[in-house]
């Protein structure tokens, strides 16, 4: 389904851009003032860039329309701006190269390549404003480079496909459909490529929910090495784990998402990890047993392995575990860990996580 939405968005955006260009050229009479390509190329570039960015935003969060509309404002403006600039550059270069001895096919290939690069640049840059995952600079850089090269390559492939069809199209008398067909091919290939390069990663994550509300000052932040015993705080082990949007933070707060490693075992409990010591908890939750469970992360799969002595303190989707059997975690599984102190001076405490294995944007 995802691939069809991308292809549909690409074709539709290309045709909308072409139609807007025709209105500007014919109805507004801009062709009498400037060459057609200087009008048409920016319209195509803007429409494709904006269309692909909007499509990606709504696919990433299909059930949150109001949030999508709020997030989309800045990305749309950036995509439109880049489309105008690079589209105008493409049109001007096209006109200049027409005066040179360079073959027409090379000029057209270069023009389409520039349009594709503008779409890729818009998609990659706007990802910073519409994705929490982009908080990781390396991930953002990787996404930007991938988007630009993928879109440029897609535009080049689309141009070559269309040029290979030109001999057949030349035999048809009425060739008014030639341009919309060509740009439709461009939109189709761009959509196909983006559906692959922008596919949701299978980076597992735990989003912190109930039980991680703010509970006062953390004295370890103020004076390193000093822990307020009366106010212990849940935290992660930095060398192994990190938050998606706050890579240098370590205290768990409600709404933050913990990025799990590609493979490995994550220990959950209240055992404090000492310096240069392999023991202790990777996810430290005060009030829980020293070792309540492990999460074993494998390729595209994670297994919750409860401690046989404390499986009764764990709930999956609100249902307490009845045995110590391993649980294969699924997307959107809610994990709840209960403290050992039901009532009295130490009130009963729960910690709740949501497990993600398709990382659309847990914090969006």
């Amino acid at each position: 389904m995802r691939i069809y939405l991308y292809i549909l968005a690409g074709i539709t955006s290309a045709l909308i851009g072409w139609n807007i260009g025709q209105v500007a050229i014919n109805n507004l009479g801009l062709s009498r003032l400037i060459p057609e390509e200087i009008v048409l190329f920016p319209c195509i570039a803007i429409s494709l860039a904006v269309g692909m960015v909007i499509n990606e935003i709504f696919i990433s969060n299909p059930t949150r329309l109001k949030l999508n509309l709020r997030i989309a404002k800045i990305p749309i403006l950036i995509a439109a701006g880049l489309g105008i600039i690079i589209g105008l550059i493409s049109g001007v270069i096209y006109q200049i190269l027409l005066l040179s001895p360079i073959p027409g096919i090379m000029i057209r290939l270069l023009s389409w390549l520039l349009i594709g690069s503008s779409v890729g640049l818009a998609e990659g840059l706007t990802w910073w404003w519409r994705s929490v995952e982009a908080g990781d600079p390396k991930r953002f850089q990787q996404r930007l480079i991938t988007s630009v090269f993928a879109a440029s390559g897609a535009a080049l492939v689309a141009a070559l496909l269309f040029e290979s069809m030109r001999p057949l199209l030349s035999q048809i008398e009425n060739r008014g459909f030639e341009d919309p067909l060509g740009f439709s091919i461009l939109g189709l290939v761009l959509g196909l490529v983006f559906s692959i390069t922008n596919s949701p990663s299978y980076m597992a994550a735990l989003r912190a929910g109930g039980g991680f509300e703010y509970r006062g000052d953390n004295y370890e932040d103020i004076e390193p090495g000093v822990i307020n015993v009366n106010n212990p705080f849940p935290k992660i082990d930095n060398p192994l784990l990190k938050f998606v949007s706050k890579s240098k933070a370590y205290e768990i707060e409600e709404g933050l998402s913990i990025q799990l490693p590609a493979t490995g075992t994550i220990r959950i409990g209240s055992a404090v990890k000492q310096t240069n010591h392999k023991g202790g908890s990777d996810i430290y939750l005060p009030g829980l047993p020293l070792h309540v469970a492990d999460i074993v992360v494998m390729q595209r799969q994670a297994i919750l392995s409860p401690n046989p002595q404390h499986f009764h303190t764990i709930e999956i989707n609100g249902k307490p575990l009845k045995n110590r059997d391993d649980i294969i975690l699924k997307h959107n599984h809610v994990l709840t860990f209960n403290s050992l102190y039901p009532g009295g001076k130490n009130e009963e405490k729960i910690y709740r996580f949501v497990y993600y294995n398709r990382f659309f944007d847990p914090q969006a």
Side-chain angles (χ1 to χ4, degrees):
M1 183 64 181
R2 178 185 175 86
I3 187 173
Y4 297 119
L5 290 175
Y6 268 97
I7 291 175
L8 180 62
I11 296 175
T12 303
S13 299
L15 290 176
I16 289 175
W18 182 82
N19 279 283
I20 292 175
Q22 294 307 305
V23 171
I25 291 170
N26 300 319
N27 295 21
L28 300 181
L30 293 182
S31 60
R32 294 193 297 269
L33 303 175
I34 54 179
E36 291 186 5
E37 288 77 15
I38 297 180
V39 178
L40 183 60
F41 285 3
C43 291
I44 296 293
I46 292 170
S47 185
L48 278 171
V50 171
M52 299 310 292
V53 167
I54 292 176
N55 183 65
E56 173 68 16
I57 291 174
F58 279 85
I59 286 180
S60 296
N61 293 290
T63 61
R64 300 183 178 183
L65 299 182
K66 292 184 179 179
L67 176 64
N68 290 338
L69 292 174
R70 187 168 68 249
I71 292 174
K73 295 178 182 177
I74 294 179
I76 287 176
L77 291 175
I78 295 173
L82 289 172
I84 291 175
I85 294 172
I86 300 182
L88 286 173
I89 292 173
S90 302
V92 171
I93 291 176
Y94 184 86
Q95 291 300 313
I96 294 174
L97 293 179
L98 284 178
L99 303 176
S100 69
I102 298 176
I105 183 173
M106 298 301 296
I107 299 175
R108 291 190 294 272
L109 289 177
L110 178 60
S111 300
W112 282 40
L113 183 64
L114 288 172
I115 292 175
S117 66
S118 70
V119 178
L121 191 61
E123 200 284 330
L125 284 177
T126 58
W127 192 58
W128 180 271
W129 283 271
R130 57 190 169 84
S131 172
V132 177
E133 192 182 355
D136 184 342
K138 291 183 180 180
R139 184 75 180 93
F140 171 69
Q141 184 180 18
Q142 179 188 11
R143 174 70 173 245
L144 179 60
I145 293 173
T146 300
S147 295
V148 173
F149 276 94
S152 301
L156 192 58
V157 169
L160 291 172
L161 285 174
F162 183 61
E163 291 297 329
S164 67
M165 298 171 60
R166 276 184 175 274
L168 295 176
L169 297 176
S170 63
Q171 301 176 12
I172 302 176
E173 293 185 7
N174 185 4
R175 298 174 61 184
F177 65 89
E178 185 173 326
D179 281 347
L181 174 62
F183 290 120
S184 295
I185 294 174
L186 174 61
L188 185 151
V189 179
L190 280 173
L192 180 62
V193 168
F194 277 136
S195 70
I196 298 172
T197 60
N198 297 352
S199 61
S201 67
Y202 283 80
M203 180 169 60
L206 289 175
R207 182 183 181 184
F212 295 99
E213 302 82 3
Y214 178 72
R215 289 180 296 281
D217 291 334
N218 172 9
Y219 289 93
E220 187 171 347
D221 290 335
I222 300 172
E223 187 175 351
V226 176
I227 299 177
N228 182 4
V229 178
N230 295 324
N231 184 29
F233 56 90
K235 59 182 180 178
I236 61 173
D237 179 51
N238 286 76
L240 185 63
L241 302 172
K242 65 177 181 178
F243 294 109
V244 173
S245 58
K246 295 183 178 181
S247 58
K248 295 183 180 180
Y250 58 93
E251 183 172 355
I252 305 174
E253 299 176 8
E254 185 176 12
L256 291 182
S257 294
I258 304 170
Q259 178 182 328
L260 303 182
T263 58
T265 300
I266 308 302
R267 174 159 291 198
I268 302 173
S270 61
V272 178
K273 180 170 286 191
Q274 303 296 329
T275 305
N276 298 325
H277 194 274
K278 295 184 179 180
S281 304
D282 299 308
I283 298 178
Y284 170 76
L285 304 177
L288 293 189
L290 293 176
H291 174 213
V292 64
D294 291 329
I295 294 181
V296 183
V297 185
M298 298 175 286
Q299 290 293 333
R300 300 199 174 189
Q301 187 178 27
I303 296 174
L304 178 70
S305 181
N307 184 328
Q309 297 179 357
H310 301 293
F311 67 84
H312 57 278
T313 64
I314 305 172
E315 298 177 9
I316 302 292
N317 293 336
K319 298 180 180 180
L321 297 185
K322 297 181 179 180
N323 54 56
R324 59 187 184 182
D325 294 345
D326 291 348
I327 307 286
I328 297 177
L329 296 177
K330 297 181 180 180
H331 185 66
N332 276 335
H333 259 171
V334 178
L335 313 181
T336 305
F337 300 96
N338 296 278
S339 72
L340 294 174
Y341 310 110
K345 293 183 179 180
N346 298 297
E347 296 181 359
E348 184 175 4
K349 181 70 177 175
I350 67 166
Y351 297 98
R352 185 167 289 128
F353 293 99
V354 180
Y355 170 76
Y356 293 86
N357 64 10
R358 296 189 303 278
F359 193 64
F360 287 117
D361 257 347
Q363 290 180 257

